[in-house]
Amino acid sequence: MFLNTLTPKFYVALTGTSSLISGLILIFEWWYFRKYGTSFIEQVSVSHLRPLLGGVDSSSPSNSNTSNGEADSNRQSVSECKVWRNPLNLFRGAEYNRYTWVTGREPLTYYDMNLSAQDHQTFFTCDSDHLRPADAIMQKAWRERNPQARISAAHEALELEDCATAYILLAEEEATTIMEAERLFKQALKAGETCYRRSQQLQHHGTQYEAQHRRDTNVLVYIKRRLAMCSRKLGRTREAVKMMRDLMKEFPLLSMFNIHENLLESLLELQNYADVQAVLAKYDDISLPKSATICYTAALLKARAVSDKFSPEAASRRGLSTAEMNAVEAIHRAVEFNPHVPKYLLEMKSLILPPEHILKRGDSEAIAYAFFHLQHWKRVEGALNLLHCTWEGTVFHEVSVYPKKELPFFILFTAGLCSFTAMLALLTHQFPELMGVFAKAFLSTLFAPLNFIMEKVESILPSSLWHQLTRI
């Protein structure tokens, strides 16, 4: 009886209202996605509804205290990260500032420096810094945007005590030469080792001491890695390799610093290709996050075996040998991982100073890789020629900026719902009688199972009991 009393105007109003509401939701979802890069409905469902339904947040840290569990959780969190700190980043005072002195322009973007400030606060500070006056000053110094204010705060902290993080800041930003930076890092090493030994003995006395030990570990690893980079830049490459190997043995779980990429570059400089292959065998694993350094270094080693005798004309006549096929496939994998690199290695695009942070598989990673590794490709005879021949046949798709944002599901869903209901409203307005018949038939079909169940219930239950239930 209810369905028979519905008029076409009701269906027009119903579909029109549905189209309007879904359109408003679509507009809001699109605006929220353009501004914040995520879906509002999806964010609300993940943040608020999942905990109510008993879901587990995948980003919560594991409760396991074993070293293997910590390594797996660190590896998982690192592999999900898209913006990485450049393992071979230059020194601000001794290298980046040279560009500013000559051109009067800033070599780093504000976004890049802001990410570095966040890294420094994460690695070099902890909640108990207020207990030590020098650390409290440095905690504020890392948040300063003005370089001179940061340097002044570091000097102020050193007036109170030997502070490792204060020496780090001065070595990074105030030192105008690599030798001066190395001298400051050696002073930082003495202070950092003292703090590390002290916190190592107290780390099991509570969460506060454990946080201090974690911070002191990060500081010590950072200092030793930068000292090794100073040795590499000053021409003491063998010493740098030894320092990096010792550091990786002493702290094998700290993979977020990517020290193996520094080691690969130094070994390539020594032309110690056997050791490069050994490092790649350890880190070129499917469970570990890839990088342009790993992919293109593996391709360079494969190309080195055949590049000196490689000829495109000869290869087209007789076909590729097994070694040449392996080299071509390695270059294919590398180009597929980051298609921006070949243009910089082949000097088809101009190089600029590498940033402090890189986007995996993006143009910034290609710049950072080519800036340090172009010389190694040039040293291997014919490697760039093989790369050029192979790369031209590899680019079978349009090179795009990675990662590309995909539209969330709810934007597509609301767009489809809005279009569908708007079409129904238009058809109902134009053909009211016909759409009314279709609507009644659709609703009758939709409620048919419910009517069938109601009839079965009426036939089973006594009429008096059913009368009482309907009254209730």
Side-chain angles (χ1 to χ4, degrees):
M1 186 183 301
F2 172 73
L3 295 177
N4 291 330
T5 58
L6 296 179
T7 63
K9 291 183 179 180
F10 169 79
Y11 294 113
V12 173
L14 177 64
T15 53
T17 305
S18 302
S19 177
L20 176 63
I21 294 174
S22 58
L24 293 175
I25 295 174
L26 172 63
I27 293 172
F28 176 76
E29 273 282 292
W30 177 254
W31 168 81
Y32 195 88
F33 173 72
R34 294 283 297 188
K35 186 172 183 180
Y36 300 105
T38 185
S39 167
F40 175 78
I41 300 175
E42 184 178 343
Q43 187 178 18
V44 169
S45 62
V46 170
S47 303
H48 301 286
L49 297 183
R50 181 187 288 183
L52 295 177
L53 297 176
V56 179
D57 189 3
S58 62
S59 63
S60 61
S62 175
N63 294 326
S64 173
N65 293 325
T66 61
S67 59
N68 291 334
E70 291 176 359
D72 293 339
S73 63
N74 288 338
R75 183 177 300 170
Q76 182 178 1
S77 63
V78 168
S79 63
E80 293 172 356
C81 184
K82 294 175 182 176
V83 177
W84 288 48
R85 186 166 179 84
N86 183 5
L88 297 168
N89 64 308
L90 305 176
F91 293 85
R92 285 193 187 179
E95 293 176 307
Y96 282 122
N97 280 351
R98 292 184 185 179
Y99 180 81
T100 306
W101 299 335
V102 174
T103 64
R105 299 176 182 177
E106 291 293 334
L108 298 173
T109 63
Y110 172 77
Y111 174 71
D112 198 5
M113 291 188 289
N114 186 48
L115 289 178
S116 296
Q118 295 176 19
D119 291 341
H120 295 152
Q121 292 176 52
T122 301
F123 292 141
F124 302 150
T125 63
C126 64
D127 295 336
S128 61
D129 281 346
H130 63 278
L131 300 178
R132 293 190 289 191
D135 289 334
I137 293 174
M138 289 307 302
Q139 191 175 42
K140 296 179 181 178
W142 294 120
R143 297 173 183 168
E144 284 286 348
R145 293 185 180 180
N146 188 353
Q148 292 303 321
R150 289 196 297 269
I151 293 173
S152 300
H155 283 293
E156 183 182 349
L158 288 175
E159 291 176 359
L160 299 177
E161 61 176 327
D162 266 2
C163 180
T165 54
Y167 283 121
I168 289 176
L169 193 148
L170 295 179
E172 292 285 353
E173 302 193 19
E174 189 182 43
T176 56
T177 63
I178 299 297
M179 294 183 67
E180 186 180 352
E182 184 182 38
R183 178 182 60 81
L184 289 168
F185 272 121
K186 287 181 178 178
Q187 292 178 276
L189 181 62
K190 293 180 182 178
E193 286 179 336
T194 302
C195 293
Y196 176 76
R197 285 193 294 267
R198 187 189 308 127
S199 62
Q200 190 177 29
Q201 297 172 354
L202 302 174
Q203 62 175 316
H204 301 296
H205 291 189
T207 56
Q208 174 182 327
Y209 295 102
E210 185 179 354
Q212 286 183 3
H213 179 64
R214 191 183 308 114
R215 188 272 310 275
D216 292 338
T217 303
N218 291 335
V219 170
L220 186 62
V221 172
Y222 185 89
I223 293 170
K224 289 187 174 182
R225 173 173 160 270
R226 292 304 257 177
L227 276 173
M229 293 177 69
C230 287
S231 298
R232 166 69 183 90
K233 293 175 185 293
L234 293 173
R236 305 194 304 268
T237 310
R238 295 188 184 278
E239 178 184 341
V241 168
K242 183 180 183 305
M243 294 171 68
M244 293 172 193
R245 289 188 186 276
D246 293 342
L247 185 57
M248 293 168 66
K249 289 179 182 177
E250 187 177 1
F251 302 98
L253 298 180
L254 291 179
S255 59
M256 77 282 289
F257 287 103
N258 288 331
I259 304 170
H260 60 277
E261 295 197 10
N262 298 88
L263 179 60
L264 283 173
E265 197 279 328
S266 298
L267 290 173
L268 286 172
E269 177 63 22
L270 294 174
Q271 301 184 43
N272 195 339
Y273 298 109
D275 286 352
V276 171
Q277 184 62 55
V279 174
L280 285 177
K282 182 178 181 181
Y283 288 96
D284 191 9
D285 187 85
I286 194 169
S287 63
L288 293 174
K290 298 285 186 181
S291 68
T293 300
I294 290 177
C295 294
Y296 278 89
T297 302
L300 176 61
L301 292 189
K302 294 288 179 64
R304 176 176 169 268
V306 297
S307 59
D308 57 336
K309 299 177 182 178
F310 178 78
S311 172
E313 294 79 11
S316 61
R317 288 196 305 269
R318 58 174 171 78
L320 294 175
S321 64
T322 303
E324 289 173 341
M325 183 63 70
N326 291 336
V328 169
E329 289 178 354
I331 293 176
H332 281 189
R333 287 193 298 269
V335 174
E336 187 67 24
F337 179 82
N338 192 325
H340 304 273
V341 173
K343 285 190 176 181
Y344 290 105
L345 290 180
L346 299 173
E347 299 182 88
M348 301 169 66
K349 293 180 72 174
S350 300
L351 275 176
I352 60 173
L353 291 178
E356 291 185 338
H357 289 81
I358 57 175
L359 182 68
K360 276 300 182 72
R361 309 182 79 169
D363 192 68
S364 56
E365 185 190 30
I367 292 171
Y369 173 79
F371 187 87
F372 294 100
H373 288 262
L374 177 58
Q375 57 179 331
H376 306 315
W377 280 81
K378 287 183 174 181
R379 189 178 292 127
V380 177
E381 183 182 356
L384 290 175
N385 178 44
L386 179 59
L387 173 66
H388 186 269
C389 298
T390 308
W391 169 69
E392 286 186 333
T394 306
V395 184
F396 49 85
H397 56 79
E398 184 180 355
V399 177
S400 59
V401 178
Y402 182 89
K404 183 179 179 181
K405 286 185 177 179
E406 297 181 356
L407 286 177
F409 164 77
F410 288 104
I411 288 183
L412 302 176
F413 175 76
T414 51
L417 180 64
C418 178
S419 303
F420 178 71
T421 52
M423 182 182 65
L424 285 181
L426 179 63
L427 291 175
T428 307
H429 183 266
Q430 293 294 326
F431 311 100
E433 299 297 334
L434 183 60
M435 291 302 294
V437 172
F438 280 131
K440 290 176 182 178
F442 174 75
L443 293 176
S444 300
T445 306
L446 185 65
F447 288 110
L450 181 62
N451 292 332
F452 177 76
I453 294 174
M454 295 292 292
E455 291 175 359
K456 289 296 183 182
V457 171
E458 288 179 0
S459 62
I460 295 174
L461 294 178
S463 58
S464 59
L465 177 60
W466 181 250
H467 179 68
Q468 294 294 331
L469 289 176
T470 54
R471 290 182 62 186
I472 294 174

